Amino acid sequence: GNSVTQMEGPVTLSEEAFLTINCTYTATGYPSLFWYVQYPGEGLQLLLKATKADDKGSNKGFEATYRKETTSFHLEKGSVQVSDSAVYFCALGYNFNKFYFGSGTKLNVKP
Amino acid sequence: DTEVTQTPKHLVMGMTNKKSLKCEQHMGHRAMYWYKQKAKKPPELMFVYSYEKLSINESVPSRFSPECPNSSLLNLHLHALQPEDSALYLCASSQVLGGNTEAFFGQGTRLTVV
């Protein structure tokens, strides 16, 4: 079957620290992979995506590389800001528009 | 325009009420979705419409009734809900390209059933 597993949160970091949020997936075929971010009280915003193996998605200083050999799509940022505090969801898009979401990882960034 | 607009933002309804949630997009997307999200949980898929036809129903109770009157609009009709149906209801849309394309989400409707 298809599934996404994310690291448990919350993750608490100081401003300017390095961020990694782990995401691994199980899928048959060749899904696209996504990171979405959700700020309190809001909907989900697409942060970045990768559509095939070895693609790197990037946006606003965040990066993730589609690794087929390790079935992973880890999210990284070199220097986090307080404004990055949110919940981050890893997702895969597969099988005619059905998206599979991970459980979400809450990030708290302290000044 | 990359917006998905949902109305209302908040809704409180009694268990005997009938209400509707509305969703609109003008990106030319032909796939539209309803998701339900409980606190501290990921979104759960409820329905998918493709070319205005229902293509996926994730075994949702009949008290939730979706409708897609045209390619820009998606409604969710609510009737005889239970308190456990209280959640954030998210609408999303995407292109129909075999699943390898991102979904754009609205801000959601925060529903409270009393």
Side-chain angles (χ1 to χ4, degrees):
Chain A
N2 302 296
S3 66
V4 176
T5 302
Q6 285 181 240
M7 61 188 290
E8 292 271 339
V11 173
T12 301
L13 296 173
S14 298
E15 207 164 23
E16 299 184 2
F18 185 85
L19 168 71
T20 300
I21 300 178
N22 290 337
C23 171
T24 57
Y25 68 90
T26 302
T28 54
Y30 306 98
S32 291
L33 300 175
F34 309 92
W35 278 100
Y36 282 87
V37 58
Q38 186 173 34
Y39 298 98
E42 297 189 8
L44 276 70
Q45 300 176 24
L46 178 67
L47 182 59
L48 53 84
K49 69 174 183 179
T51 58
K52 61 183 187 298
D54 300 324
D55 268 4
K56 177 186 282 189
S58 61
N59 186 28
K60 299 180 182 179
F62 291 90
E63 293 183 342
T65 301
Y66 190 158
R67 302 280 188 205
K68 197 167 191 299
E69 64 276 13
T70 54
T71 62
S72 65
F73 193 55
H74 305 320
L75 182 68
E76 296 182 336
K77 187 176 185 183
S79 176
V80 293
Q81 306 299 312
V82 172
S83 57
D84 294 327
S85 298
V87 179
Y88 292 81
F89 291 97
C90 184
L92 67 87
Y94 183 70
N95 195 23
F96 189 60
N97 293 304
K98 182 168 181 175
F99 292 84
Y100 298 82
F101 286 91
S103 56
T105 302
K106 185 172 183 180
L107 171 64
N108 295 318
V109 181
K110 298 189 172 181
Chain B
D1 181 5
T2 58
E3 258 194 18
V4 176
T5 303
Q6 290 188 243
T7 55
K9 291 197 184 320
H10 301 275
L11 179 63
V12 179
M13 61 184 291
M15 289 188 283
T16 58
N17 292 159
K18 287 185 181 181
K19 296 287 184 182
S20 297
L21 309 184
K22 297 186 183 301
C23 175
E24 188 169 8
Q25 57 88 14
H26 296 288
M27 293 179 277
H29 291 167
R30 301 306 294 274
M32 296 187 76
Y33 315 74
W34 281 114
Y35 282 86
K36 173 182 177 179
Q37 187 180 24
K38 300 284 273 185
K40 301 185 180 180
K41 297 290 186 183
E44 298 175 10
L45 182 66
M46 300 174 72
F47 303 104
V48 181
Y49 273 81
S50 177
Y51 294 103
E52 296 87 69
K53 294 192 187 310
L54 183 65
S55 59
I56 296 177
N57 176 343
E58 291 287 281
S59 302
V60 178
S62 60
R63 58 187 184 267
F64 296 92
S65 176
E67 178 196 22
C68 189
N70 61 53
S71 60
S72 299
L73 294 174
L74 185 67
N75 299 322
L76 186 63
H77 303 298
L78 313 173
H79 173 56
L81 295 193
Q82 303 297 310
E84 59 265 29
D85 296 321
S86 298
L88 181 67
Y89 287 84
L90 294 164
C91 174
S93 70
S94 73
Q95 297 177 30
V96 181
L97 287 174
N100 292 330
T101 182
E102 63 268 32
F104 292 83
F105 283 81
Q107 295 295 295
T109 294
R110 178 75 60 187
L111 174 67
T112 304
V113 181
V114 296

